[in-house]
Amino acid sequence: SPTWGNGATGYVLLGFHDRGCRYAVWADLGDRTDGKHVIFVDVHTVAGASKAAQREVEMQTLFSAMAAINPPRTASAGGATTPLPVVYAGDFNSHKNRAPDTVATVMHANGFYDSFDLATALKNQHINSYNGFDTTPRISYTWGDHFDHVWVVPGTSRVAKWRNGALIVDGRLPIPIPSDHSPVVVDLQLN
């Protein structure tokens, strides 16, 4: 069992499939000024339009493991017993236009929503976070088709800004392109 407040870290094996293992890694990070802690989880689910059922199993596995990693604890003397807040981020290989969006189904069932949908301000929202090393941005005017997400619990968080951090110059991604995914940058506050 992790020792909270001492930079506890770990991983969750999501499964053996699609030519290898899938993992999520997590870290308990504490604010030095107020001593409050948040668990950040970095997730990479299996890729492929036909892999929705596998992504659903991976997400169910992740939530089951996180319940054991992050059990309810007393916040302060006489305080309520709750788990630490959690932020899930990473490449989920899923989006609203990829039906069924099993990742969102599992996230919503556990109280988490995409920061994209909760943000009060958006920037470059029509550019997919997956770029495939292509200099031509992948555009979707419906939802953005983002494979990369930051999931939070509404009511315990406030998402001020969401932006796709892709560097676009004259309508193109300049080379060299450092990754096949552009960063998703989210400004959020957690209670």
Side-chain angles (χ1 to χ4, degrees):
S1 131
T3 304
W4 301 109
N6 293 326
T9 62
Y11 68 91
V12 175
L13 175 64
L14 301 178
F16 293 99
H17 51 264
D18 197 39
R19 300 183 309 267
C21 302
R22 293 290 167 186
Y23 291 92
V25 296
W26 61 269
D28 165 20
L29 302 178
D31 187 320
R32 291 182 182 171
T33 58
D34 64 14
K36 293 182 181 176
H37 288 259
V38 176
I39 296 178
F40 288 88
V41 183
D42 182 13
V43 181
H44 189 253
T45 64
V46 66
S50 65
K51 307 289 181 162
Q54 287 181 339
R55 281 189 289 278
E56 182 176 11
V57 169
E58 290 173 341
M59 295 307 297
Q60 295 289 4
T61 300
L62 179 58
F63 272 97
S64 177
M66 289 307 297
I69 291 166
N70 185 27
R73 62 190 54 86
T74 303
S76 61
T81 304
T82 59
L84 291 175
V86 179
V87 175
Y88 291 92
D91 178 358
F92 290 87
N93 282 304
S94 189
H95 55 75
K96 293 175 183 166
N97 290 332
R98 180 177 264 187
D101 186 357
T102 56
V103 168
T105 300
V106 174
M107 284 291 190
H108 294 167
N110 287 280
F112 286 82
Y113 286 81
D114 191 352
S115 59
F116 177 85
D117 296 324
L118 302 173
T120 57
L122 301 170
K123 184 175 180 183
N124 292 334
Q125 67 269 24
H126 301 300
I127 301 170
N128 190 332
S129 58
Y130 174 71
N131 63 49
F133 292 108
D134 191 354
T135 58
T136 303
R138 296 167 188 239
I139 305 293
S140 170
Y141 291 104
T142 306
W143 298 112
D145 289 349
H146 307 284
F147 285 156
D148 303 286
H149 303 273
V150 176
W151 298 88
V152 297
V153 176
T156 63
S157 59
R158 178 182 173 271
V159 183
K161 297 177 187 175
W162 181 102
R163 73 178 171 97
N164 182 326
L167 177 61
I168 307 291
V169 177
D170 296 327
R172 317 257 313 151
L173 278 80
I175 52 176
I177 299 172
S179 172
D180 63 338
H181 289 255
S182 299
V184 167
V185 181
V186 178
D187 291 343
L188 67 102
Q189 297 171 329
L190 300 172
N191 294 346

